[in-house]
């Protein structure tokens, strides 16, 4: 049995692991987009296959959750000849379809921009599609026809000797840890894949559930060297900011938030502040068509939410319908918000201020001393969000400079990833004497190194930091 690390190796994005059984049966766990990969449309097409394996020989794909860095290259698998199924939970299937369709729309815009005024558009589009992880709506539709959904904590027998179980991970609606049990020649081996690990007491999402003991464990390390700073509850932290920025003074609060997961957590918390703490119903603009669609999916899967959210829904008959809430659909509606003169909250994607409509809201408000920009999650190098947190005096949006006069604030209570303590809690469910190897993935190298050192101190002696395309015998 062999395990290969084909993505998220010493970096955060592009999760993809290939498990090959002794008889040659191949299982791909996640098939995510590498966000750090750059595509040069002017270079000639050289590679015959996008993947470092023959997609037609993969027998099964398992998807831990819907985020694009875990699901984003699934349509490419089918373009390359994969004909099998995608196993995931029901919410993951719905959210993945939404996210993949959005990616396909983005890819089409990139392809049209790269084509320019070429008269040989069809031929050029085919060439550009073959350059990388680019696909169209028809590719997504083809992939979605092969999704098969499984419930949490129910053992699924692929065939005698191969069993799969999804365990709630808490990171996103439907997110799962994956337990694989494979029996070959009378010997059973168990392998665990953490997926992305959520945090306890997060708005809406269930807590990560205990994971069974395994022989081999693949663990993410996004926050392997960080502890979440905020000790306040989401209601306390967000309530304090809203009071200071929109109630005590007639200001504007702009919250960059990812459309899937983060936007719903913020809306739910706002609703609780109004219903349970009698907060004034400040006007709220949610500017993300995908945010609205994913909110409907969250409402559809109430049974996958935590007990507190289900109880709130039972008492109030809704979760996200904040008083004075307006969902903005068109770009014209989005632009019109700049003319609204009363205190308001604007929730828009992307969360790192890297593309999306939020860039315009930042441009419209960044020079306003009565405005506040609230960052509520991780911001990567090179994004506007990271620049603002670093204290820059001037930002550039669409080739125009803006002076930073607005307040820049940050809270991390809405981060969907477990911090170092949460990651340790996950690994410590294993016995060092039984666990044969721990593979660290989905993290920056310095994060992995610190986390590995801590694990060594706890008695986990065989901790491995794979490089991309490393293969290990189990």
């Amino acid at each position: 049995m062999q395990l290969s690390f084909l993505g998220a190796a010493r970096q955060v994005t592009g999760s993809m692991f290939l498990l090959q059984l002794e008889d040659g049966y191949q299982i791909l766990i996640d098939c995510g987009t590498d966000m750090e990969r750059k595509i040069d449309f002017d270079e000639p097409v050289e590679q015959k296959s996008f993947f470092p394996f023959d997609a037609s020989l993969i027998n099964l794909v398992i998807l831990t959750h819907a985020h694009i860095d875990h699901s984003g290259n699934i349509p490419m698998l089918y373009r390359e000849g994969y004909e099998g199924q995608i196993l995931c939970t029901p919410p993951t299937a719905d959210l993945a379809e939404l996210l993949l369709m959005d990616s396909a729309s983005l890819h089409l815009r990139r392809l049209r921009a790269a084509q320019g005024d070429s008269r040989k558009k069809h031929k050029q589009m085919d060439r550009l599609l073959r350059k990388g992880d680019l696909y169209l709506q028809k590719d997504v539709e083809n992939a979605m026809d092969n999704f098969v959904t499984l419930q949490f904590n129910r053992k699924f027998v692929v065939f005698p000797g191969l069993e799969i179980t999804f365990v709630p991970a808490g990171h996103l609606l439907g997110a799962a840890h994956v337990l694989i049990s494979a029996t070959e020649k009378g010997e059973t081996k168990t392998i665990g894949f953490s997926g992305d690990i959520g945090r306890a007491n997060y708005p809406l999402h269930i807590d990560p559930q205990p994971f069974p003991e395994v022989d081999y464990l693949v663990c993410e390390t996004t926050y392997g060297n960080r502890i979440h700073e905020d000790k306040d509850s989401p209601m306390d932290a967000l309530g304090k900011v809203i009071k200071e920025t929109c109630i005590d003074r007639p200001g504007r609060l702009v919250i960059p938030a990812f459309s899937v997961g983060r936007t719903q957590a913020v809306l739910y918390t706002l609703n609780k502040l109004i219903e349970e703490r009698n907060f004034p119903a400040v006007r709220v603009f949610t500017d993300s068509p995908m945010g609205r669609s994913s909110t409907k999916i969250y409402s559809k899967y109430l049974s996958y939410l935590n007990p507190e959210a289900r109880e709130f829904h039972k008492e109030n008959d809704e979760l996200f319908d904040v008083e004075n809430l307006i969902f903005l659909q068109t770009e014209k509606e989005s632009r019109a918000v700049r003319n609204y003169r009363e205190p308001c909250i604007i929730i828009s994607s992307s969360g790192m201020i890297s593309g999306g409509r939020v860039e315009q809201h930042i441009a419209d408000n960044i020079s306003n001393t009565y405005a506040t920009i609230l960052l509520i999650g991780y911001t990567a190098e090179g994004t506007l969000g990271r620049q603002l947190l670093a204290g820059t005096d001037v930002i550039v949006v669409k080739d125009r400079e803006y002076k930073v006069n607005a307040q820049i604030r940050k809270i991390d209570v809405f981060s969907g990833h477990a911090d170092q303590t949460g990651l340790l809690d996950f690994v410590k469910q294993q016995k060092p004497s039984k666990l044969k190897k721990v593979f660290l993935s989905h993290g920056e190298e310095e994060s992995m190194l610190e986390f590995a050192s801590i694990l060594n101190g706890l008695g986990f002696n065989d901790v491995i930091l794979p490089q991309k395309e490393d293969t290990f015998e189990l």
Side-chain angles (χ1 to χ4, degrees):
M1 190 184 300
Q2 295 183 333
L3 177 62
S4 300
F5 291 79
L6 307 179
R10 304 200 183 202
Q11 69 176 58
V12 171
T13 65
S15 288
M16 186 161 54
F17 314 105
L18 179 61
L19 181 65
Q20 182 169 305
L21 306 187
E22 193 172 346
D23 64 1
Y25 191 90
Q26 298 187 52
I27 307 168
L28 196 67
I29 298 91
D30 284 343
C31 189
T33 300
D34 182 350
M35 304 297 191
E36 298 182 21
R37 181 175 180 271
K38 305 298 182 183
I39 300 174
D40 185 349
F41 287 109
D42 294 325
E43 289 185 354
V45 178
E46 295 180 356
Q47 61 185 33
K48 295 182 179 179
S49 173
F50 172 72
F51 298 102
F53 53 80
D54 186 341
S56 68
L57 298 180
I58 300 296
N59 299 99
L60 183 67
V61 175
I62 300 171
L63 179 60
T64 60
H65 65 285
H67 281 148
I68 286 297
D69 63 323
H70 293 256
S71 70
N73 278 332
I74 286 176
M76 288 295 296
L77 273 179
Y78 289 92
R79 283 176 56 88
E80 295 284 328
Y82 178 60
E83 297 179 345
Q85 297 176 332
I86 311 290
L87 301 184
C88 64
T89 65
T92 293
D94 282 7
L95 290 176
E97 181 174 16
L98 182 66
L99 287 163
L100 292 173
M101 282 296 188
D102 182 70
S103 288
S105 297
L106 176 61
H107 295 170
L108 182 59
R109 290 196 295 271
R110 292 172 67 187
L111 288 167
R112 286 174 172 169
Q115 283 177 311
D117 296 323
S118 171
R119 295 180 179 179
K120 300 179 181 179
K121 287 193 173 183
H122 290 293
K123 184 176 181 180
Q124 188 182 36
M125 178 172 283
D126 180 67
R127 179 180 69 83
L128 295 175
L129 279 170
R130 288 187 289 116
K131 291 192 68 63
D133 49 345
L134 300 177
Y135 45 82
L136 303 178
Q137 181 175 335
K138 62 181 181 180
D139 300 307
V140 177
E141 292 171 348
N142 183 37
M144 294 310 304
D145 286 341
N146 296 280
F147 273 60
V148 175
T149 60
L150 308 177
Q151 300 297 324
F152 282 132
N153 297 315
R154 294 184 183 176
K155 187 180 298 182
F156 177 75
V157 179
V158 180
F159 55 76
L162 179 63
E163 299 171 349
I164 294 168
T165 306
F166 287 142
V167 178
H171 169 70
L172 183 71
L173 184 70
H177 308 308
V178 177
L179 171 64
I180 297 177
S181 175
T183 302
E184 296 179 319
K185 296 180 179 178
E187 181 184 3
T188 299
K189 297 174 184 176
T190 51
I191 308 99
F193 295 86
S194 71
D196 284 356
I197 304 170
R199 56 194 296 191
N201 302 314
Y202 191 83
L204 297 173
H205 298 159
I206 53 181
D207 291 349
Q209 290 191 7
F211 195 70
E213 293 182 6
V214 292
D215 299 313
Y216 302 92
L217 184 66
V218 179
C219 182
E220 66 113 327
T221 53
T222 310
Y223 283 177
N225 62 345
R226 281 175 279 181
I227 302 294
H228 289 310
E229 299 171 1
D230 288 311
K231 304 305 178 185
D232 292 336
S233 70
M235 286 181 69
D236 289 339
L238 185 60
K240 180 181 179 181
V241 175
I242 294 173
K243 182 177 184 299
E244 293 174 355
T245 59
C246 295
I247 297 174
D248 292 345
R249 65 176 191 161
R252 287 182 155 216
L253 178 61
V254 181
I255 306 177
F258 293 114
S259 299
V260 179
R262 207 67 55 86
T263 291
Q264 290 72 41
V266 172
L267 286 176
Y268 170 63
T269 304
L270 281 170
N271 208 5
K272 291 188 69 179
L273 286 169
I274 294 170
E275 295 295 333
E276 298 179 2
R277 297 191 182 180
N278 298 316
F279 255 59
V282 178
R283 174 72 73 193
V284 178
F285 296 101
T286 299
D287 192 9
S288 168
M290 187 196 296
R292 184 170 192 177
S293 297
S294 54
T295 297
K296 292 179 180 178
I297 294 174
Y298 266 71
S299 297
K300 174 182 175 181
Y301 290 104
L302 293 175
S303 63
Y304 283 80
L305 302 180
N306 63 37
E308 181 184 50
R310 296 199 302 271
E311 183 63 26
F312 185 88
H313 181 272
K314 182 179 178 180
E315 294 177 358
N316 298 279
D317 201 34
E318 46 77 28
L319 289 171
F320 309 109
D321 192 14
V322 179
E323 189 175 343
N324 276 335
L325 170 65
I326 295 178
F327 276 103
L328 304 175
Q329 288 291 333
T330 67
E331 292 190 10
K332 181 179 179 180
E333 292 174 337
S334 177
R335 291 192 298 270
V337 172
R338 70 181 64 167
N339 299 318
Y340 186 78
R341 299 305 176 190
E342 300 297 321
C344 65
I345 300 169
I346 302 169
I347 306 168
S348 185
S349 62
S350 72
M352 298 186 192
I353 319 178
S354 177
R357 294 184 184 179
V358 72
E359 286 190 350
Q360 189 59 53
H361 292 299
I362 296 297
D364 291 340
N365 292 281
I366 196 67
S367 299
N368 179 3
T369 57
Y370 279 85
T372 299
I373 314 300
L374 177 64
L375 282 304
I376 62 171
Y378 177 75
T379 54
E381 288 285 352
T383 62
L384 275 177
R386 178 65 69 90
Q387 293 176 38
L388 291 174
L389 288 177
T392 184
D393 294 326
V394 176
I395 62 170
V396 177
V397 179
K398 297 179 181 177
D399 300 323
R400 181 176 174 183
E401 289 190 351
Y402 297 87
K403 185 172 177 56
V404 178
N405 294 326
Q407 292 188 59
I408 310 300
R409 300 182 65 169
K410 180 181 186 300
I411 57 177
D412 66 5
V413 294
F414 290 102
S415 170
H417 279 275
D419 63 6
Q420 185 184 86
T421 300
L423 295 174
L424 286 171
D425 288 343
F426 176 76
V427 178
K428 286 193 292 187
Q429 295 173 54
Q430 308 296 318
K431 291 180 181 177
S433 59
K434 179 180 178 181
L435 190 62
K436 296 177 181 178
K437 294 183 188 298
V438 182
F439 300 99
L440 301 185
S441 67
H442 201 286
E444 304 291 348
E445 187 168 2
E446 62 182 36
S447 175
M448 289 184 175
L449 287 169
E450 181 173 327
F451 194 65
S453 177
I454 295 173
L455 291 180
N456 289 153
L458 294 172
F460 295 94
N461 296 319
D462 205 347
V463 181
I464 300 173
L465 283 62
Q467 299 278 6
K468 191 172 184 179
E469 298 194 21
D470 278 354
T471 296
F472 301 86
E473 284 197 10
L474 306 185

